[in-house]
């Protein structure tokens, strides 16, 4: 594919290059060259001329809940725990119905395309069949993503809870099914991948956390969850786990922190020893400023993390965040 236009290219996070009125050559999904003239060996007929348009990299949303799109904009007078109970859990329970799930997830993938988000890390619901549908819709779309069914086996409403063994079995089944469909040769990186997604400590038993950590190790699968988002949540985690010194340590203690393979959303109130744990495992922090504002969760110390060399990406956290549009994730550093 050769496109012509005003190209913005970001080959590294600290490099921002612009190429007015140029040609970008893409082979097998990879940028091969950006040139002032038509690349050698090609003719005008091979070029899609986009005139004066900007050609920019796709956006990346490293923390978003696909089922929650229908709830954007409501419930923001509540903080995290009541918001989950009153708005989020009732909506997520509807994904038991696969026809409902299909419609909702089709809309979600379409909306991601509309706002130019070409890569995302997605939490689904605890339902295996609905999550399969979401995986298949992403495969058809050509968008890249990491997707996981949510795991939750405690402190959840009776209509949205699973038992520990079932949760582990269904997670393994989704991983193996996706693996069997993806090519396994060394250089091939599939566009759609699995990510293990325990909801957060309060809704995941130690047995489930350990089981999921083992699956992550056995199959080399990344992990995503929530950490230090809200003061009531943090107090609750401390009550549930007196054996650990901090929220972050609970994930470490039960084997859910995998070096270079873990994303933690929010990280607003991390204490110094928790920041050390983030560094030790090179955990990627998903900064979700819109969500943190909407649920009055707090302000994440972004500059502090960046100065300490912690990797940070942006997450819309829809539906606590009210938009999928990554250009609207504003934060003053
Ligand atoms: N913590 C546990 N579940 C959720 C969720 O769905 N959204 C947010 N923002 N935080 C959570
Ligand atoms: Fe979230």
């Amino acid at each position: 594919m050769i496109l012509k236009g005003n190209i913005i290219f970001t080959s590294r996070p600290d490099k921002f290059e612009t190429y007015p009125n140029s040609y970008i050559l893409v082979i097998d999904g990879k940028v091969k060259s950006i040139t002032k003239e038509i690349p050698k060996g090609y003719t005008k007929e091979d070029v899609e001329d986009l005139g004066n348009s900007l050609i920019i990299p796709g956006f990346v949303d490293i923390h978003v809940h696909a089922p929650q799109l229908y709830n954007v904009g409501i419930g923001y007078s509540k903080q995290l725990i009541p918001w989950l109970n009153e708005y989020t859990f009732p909506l997520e329970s509807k994904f038991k119905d696969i026809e409902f799930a299909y419609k909702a997830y089709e809309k979600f993938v379409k909306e991601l395309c509309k706002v130019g988000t070409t890569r995302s890390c997605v939490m689904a619901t605890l339902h295996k069949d609905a999550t399969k549908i979401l995986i298949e819709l992403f495969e058809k779309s050509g968008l890249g993503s990491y997707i996981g069914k949510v795991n939750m086996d405690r402190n959840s409403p009776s209509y949205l809870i699973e038992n520990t063994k079932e949760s582990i079995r269904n997670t393994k089944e989704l991983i193996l099914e996706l693996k069997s469909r993806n090519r396994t040769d060394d250089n091939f990186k599939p566009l759609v991948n699995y990510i293990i997604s325990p909801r957060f400590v309060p809704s995941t038993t130690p047995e489930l956390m350990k089981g999921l950590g083992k699956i992550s190790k056995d199959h080399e699968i990344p992990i995503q969850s929530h950490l230090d988002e809200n003061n009531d949540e943090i107090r609750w985690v401390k009550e549930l786990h007196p054996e650990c010194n901090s929220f972050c340590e609970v994930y470490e203690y039960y084997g859910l922190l995998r070096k270079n393979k873990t994303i933690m959303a929010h990280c607003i109130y991390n204490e110094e020893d928790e920041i050390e744990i983030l560094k030790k495992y090179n955990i990627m922090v998903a900064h979700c400023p819109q969500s943190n504002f909407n649920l009055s969760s707090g302000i994440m110390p972004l500059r502090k993390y960046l100065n300490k060399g912690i990797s940070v990406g942006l997450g819309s956290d829809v539906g606590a965040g009210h938009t999928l549009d990554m250009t609207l994730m504003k934060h003053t550093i």
Side-chain angles (χ1 to χ4, degrees):
M1 177 173 70
I2 303 171
L3 302 176
K4 182 173 184 240
N6 298 313
I7 298 160
I8 294 174
F9 191 55
T10 50
S11 57
R12 300 197 319 247
D14 57 347
K15 217 168 156 205
F16 189 94
E17 297 160 69
T18 55
Y19 300 87
N21 213 12
S22 300
Y23 298 84
I24 183 164
L25 170 65
V26 180
I27 299 174
D28 281 341
K30 292 217 169 85
V31 174
K32 286 286 164 199
S33 66
I34 301 175
T35 47
K36 263 276 160 218
E37 308 297 333
I38 295 178
K40 277 203 183 83
Y42 296 92
T43 66
K44 225 178 153 189
E45 280 66 48
D46 301 316
V47 176
E48 189 176 340
D49 191 339
L50 298 171
N52 209 25
S53 301
L54 286 178
I55 300 171
I56 62 173
F59 296 112
V60 183
D61 184 346
I62 72 162
H63 184 75
V64 58
H65 298 258
Q68 296 176 17
L69 186 62
Y70 282 163
N71 266 2
V72 293
I74 63 165
Y76 299 155
S77 59
K78 297 269 187 296
Q79 289 202 18
L80 177 64
I81 306 298
W83 173 81
L84 285 171
N85 285 321
E86 286 182 42
Y87 297 95
T88 310
F89 292 158
L91 172 62
E92 289 196 11
S93 73
K94 293 187 183 169
F95 286 73
K96 186 171 189 256
D97 173 352
I98 54 169
E99 274 175 34
F100 179 89
Y102 189 89
K103 263 198 197 148
Y105 284 157
E106 197 179 32
K107 180 176 165 66
F108 175 76
V109 172
K110 222 189 225 170
E111 293 296 316
L112 273 190
C113 283
K114 260 198 215 162
V115 294
T117 296
T118 53
R119 298 289 183 272
S120 52
C121 281
V122 183
M123 283 197 174
T125 62
L126 58 74
H127 309 97
K128 179 186 70 184
D129 292 337
T131 306
K132 266 188 204 173
I133 289 171
L134 182 61
I135 289 171
E136 283 163 16
L137 284 165
F138 264 101
E139 286 176 332
K140 269 193 221 145
S141 74
L143 299 178
S145 69
Y146 283 84
I147 304 171
K149 83 164 221 76
V150 159
N151 302 93
M152 45 199 292
D153 70 337
R154 68 170 169 179
N155 297 319
S156 305
S158 57
Y159 60 81
L160 191 71
I161 193 164
E162 50 189 354
N163 76 46
T164 313
K165 288 202 166 59
E166 181 191 6
S167 182
I168 290 175
R169 190 172 359 98
N170 287 342
T171 303
K172 262 192 212 161
E173 189 183 314
L174 286 171
I175 288 169
L176 293 177
E177 198 182 301
L178 191 53
K179 249 192 186 169
S180 72
R181 281 214 299 276
N182 280 332
R183 274 163 50 193
T184 51
D185 34 308
D186 284 349
N187 289 327
F188 181 73
K189 269 194 159 175
L191 269 181
V192 179
N193 301 272
Y194 198 83
I195 183 162
I196 293 170
S197 309
R199 178 159 223 128
F200 64 159
V201 166
S203 60
T204 332
T205 58
E207 191 189 347
L208 181 53
M209 285 192 265
K210 279 191 221 160
L212 295 174
K214 183 172 181 322
I215 299 176
S216 167
K217 260 196 184 150
D218 291 349
H219 299 276
E220 280 304 320
I221 304 290
I223 296 177
Q224 63 179 350
S225 195
H226 297 91
L227 173 63
D228 286 323
E229 177 177 1
N230 169 285
N231 281 314
D232 292 333
E233 170 211 35
I234 295 166
R235 263 193 294 278
W236 193 13
V237 170
K238 287 190 172 158
E239 272 168 37
L240 288 167
H241 291 281
E243 75 279 19
C244 293
N245 288 317
S246 66
F247 192 161
C248 195
E249 202 183 295
V250 180
Y251 287 127
E252 183 184 38
Y253 189 81
Y254 292 104
L256 282 174
L257 301 185
R258 301 285 323 288
K259 194 159 186 182
N260 304 325
K261 281 191 180 303
T262 310
I263 294 179
M264 283 291 157
H266 303 287
C267 296
I268 298 171
Y269 297 104
N270 291 40
E271 292 163 14
E272 290 306 319
D273 54 336
E274 294 181 290
I275 294 174
E276 287 310 307
I277 300 176
L278 296 181
K279 275 170 70 173
K280 182 171 154 194
Y281 292 92
N282 193 23
I283 288 165
M284 168 78 78
V285 170
H287 178 33
C288 308
Q290 299 293 27
S291 162
N292 296 345
F293 181 83
N294 290 341
L295 298 188
S296 307
S297 299
I299 297 172
M300 194 199 81
L302 175 59
R303 175 48 64 195
K304 180 174 171 180
Y305 290 164
L306 294 177
N307 287 347
K308 283 178 178 277
I310 288 167
S311 315
V312 182
L314 283 170
S316 70
D317 198 28
V318 154
H322 57 272
T323 175
L324 287 172
D325 187 340
M326 298 312 290
T327 66
L328 300 177
M329 300 301 133
K330 295 202 179 90
H331 185 109
T332 307
I333 295 180

